[in-house]
Amino acid sequence: MKSALLLSLPLATLFSSRIQGAPTSNPPLRGSEDLLGYSSSNTLSDQTTEAITYTPVDGQNDDADLGVYLDFEDSDSPQPIRGNKGATDPGNTYYDRINSDKLAPPGTDEGQTINAQWPMGLSHNRLGMNESGWARQENTVVMPGATKMAGVDMRLEAGAYRELHWHVAGEWSLVLNGSCRIEAVNENGQTFVDDVTAGDVWFFPPGIPHSIQALDSGVEFLLVFDDGAFSEDNTFLATEVFAHQPKSVLAKNFDLPVAAFDDIPEDELYIFPGTPAPANISEQNVTGTAGIVPQSQSYSYHFSEQPAHEVEGGSVKIVDPLTFPVADNFAAAVVTVHPGGMREIHWHPTSDEWTFFIQGQGRATLFTAPSTATTFDFRAGDVGYFPQSNSHYIENTGDEDLVFVEVLQADQFSDVSLGQWIGSTPKQIVADTLRLPQSALDRLKTEKMLLCNKTS
């Protein structure tokens, strides 16, 4: 929405000919060469951009280096101004309101890091058959700097399938809401079937064929793949495998008559409605001589039943190969940050971090050596990405709990805490380097905070 004082002329008028007496007939696509060069008339617009009025939001007049969060969402005219930096903008958009740290960045930002933010709401949505579901993805096509991991947000209506398939990449998943039944067969012929619900996790290694069917409540889940260039469009689907084999070969392979394959789909199903799964899961426990997948190698982990570790400012709970061995290179933490709290400044020494925001709103500053820093504003449904050893925090800027999942490519979840590092370094070194007063040195902590509470 533009300021009411912004323009006195409609846009169509502003960008039409200003030459008096211009013909009323439809003009050519290109102008005359007479328009080149130096204007003898020097005709200028009488439009002013200096009459823009606005009301600063809380903190907007503070020193830019203080970098407080600016809430522009209810502002009639958000402006790219912090302290004495910036200037007014003749027009602004909804995205300016929800990305205040892009419009009016903290004075501590410098240069340009990778784009560490992608809203899934801007991803192309792939729709399932007969209103059975949808899927939208984030990968290097839309987020070029996110090279190590890619993600998919997928919804299945009750009874709908994500059809039988496999991937070249490993698939790690967190169920966001609802419930579903997952099924797989490994390379040894061992079978697996389990029901998972909101908060649970599954993992299917590369090449392991599997399927997903929503139960009566429907389901939405997050998928993370160990390749930033991964695309759902390149999945190996059962329907496509069958459609691209000679029927005589299929008949020979399955020891069936050719006629058995007369009605196989000519195209992929991908997401499609199906017969509801039986309530008794044992009815779908198909096993051969190889038996079932051993529990120690289970493809699911009932993370929803794990209590969260409560700390000042929120809670954290971790799942990684120490407790979920089959996902041998996926480590994750589900983090809840109370209003006003913050995931402390940290970095991951061995992995990039792929983050998905489940609830609430927050912001983060990505710092890249030697001196580049960009602050991003995140909402539920956004993906965040922080490269290996690049420091960042995640601050709750809303009035409800902020919930997000951090996913690493690592054999265990770990991070380095800026606070713990400085607090565990001899105070004289810290004083000489950072010039902190003794009162601050005395309050430094040697333990990792994980989360920080509201500023005292």
Side-chain angles (χ1 to χ4, degrees), residues 74-116:
D74 295 324
S75 172
D76 290 334
S77 183
Q79 296 297 324
I81 294 173
R82 267 190 189 267
N84 63 357
K85 294 185 176 182
T88 54
D89 180 1
N92 47 70
T93 69
Y94 172 70
Y95 284 103
D96 291 333
R97 287 179 167 81
I98 64 173
N99 292 284
S100 62
D101 286 302
K102 284 191 173 70
L103 181 67
T108 46
D109 278 11
E110 181 176 335
Q112 184 176 5
T113 62
I114 65 164
N115 177 31

Side-chain angles (χ1 to χ4, degrees), residues 51-306:
I52 300 168
T53 61
Y54 74 100
T55 301
V57 300
D58 289 346
Q60 193 164 6
N61 291 333
D62 293 348
D63 185 280
D65 287 354
L66 188 59
V68 299
Y69 175 68
L70 305 181
D71 186 356
F72 283 156
E73 193 150 7
D74 295 324
S75 172
D76 290 334
S77 183
Q79 296 297 324
I81 294 173
R82 267 190 189 267
N84 63 357
K85 294 185 176 182
T88 54
D89 180 1
N92 47 70
T93 69
Y94 172 70
Y95 284 103
D96 291 333
R97 287 179 167 81
I98 64 173
N99 292 284
S100 62
D101 286 302
K102 284 191 173 70
L103 181 67
T108 46
D109 278 11
E110 181 176 335
Q112 184 176 5
T113 62
I114 65 164
N115 177 31
Q117 176 188 31
W118 179 256
M120 281 289 194
L122 293 182
S123 292
H124 179 268
N125 212 349
R126 186 174 180 180
L127 305 181
M129 300 170 59
N130 300 323
E131 301 180 1
S132 56
W134 48 259
R136 47 195 181 186
Q137 68 182 3
E138 166 278 326
N139 56 23
T140 51
V141 172
V142 297
M143 210 172 180
T147 58
K148 301 297 185 182
M149 287 170 276
V152 175
D153 181 12
M154 185 173 291
R155 162 73 176 166
L156 301 178
E157 295 289 344
Y161 288 101
R162 170 65 170 93
E163 77 157 280
L164 294 158
H165 66 283
W166 74 91
H167 311 282
V168 172
E171 172 187 303
W172 186 93
S173 179
L174 173 67
V175 182
L176 298 176
N177 53 66
S179 301
C180 60
R181 182 164 296 169
I182 54 176
E183 172 277 334
V185 180
N186 69 15
E187 62 269 41
N188 298 317
Q190 295 170 319
T191 59
F192 176 84
V193 60
D194 194 20
D195 290 341
V196 289
T197 192
D200 289 344
V201 168
W202 76 69
F203 176 76
F204 294 119
I208 296 299
H210 55 280
S211 68
I212 307 159
Q213 184 177 22
L215 298 178
D216 292 343
S217 58
V219 69
E220 181 183 0
F221 47 86
L222 182 69
L223 301 170
V224 185
F225 297 91
D226 55 8
D227 178 2
F230 173 87
S231 173
E232 273 287 286
D233 297 336
N234 295 331
T235 299
F236 290 88
L237 302 173
T239 50
E240 294 283 17
V241 175
F242 274 65
H244 294 286
Q245 312 300 324
K247 290 185 178 179
S248 62
V249 171
L250 290 173
K252 185 178 295 185
N253 189 80
F254 289 97
D255 191 22
L256 292 170
V258 172
F261 303 97
D262 286 347
D263 296 325
I264 60 174
E266 296 181 357
D267 199 1
E268 67 178 29
L269 298 179
Y270 187 66
I271 294 175
F272 66 102
T275 304
N280 185 352
I281 193 173
S282 65
E283 295 180 28
Q284 292 192 323
N285 284 338
V286 179
T287 58
T289 56
I292 62 173
V293 171
Q295 185 174 8
S296 62
Q297 300 170 34
S298 172
Y299 294 132
S300 63
Y301 184 80
H302 292 272
F303 197 34
S304 63
E305 299 177 22
Q306 177 179 318

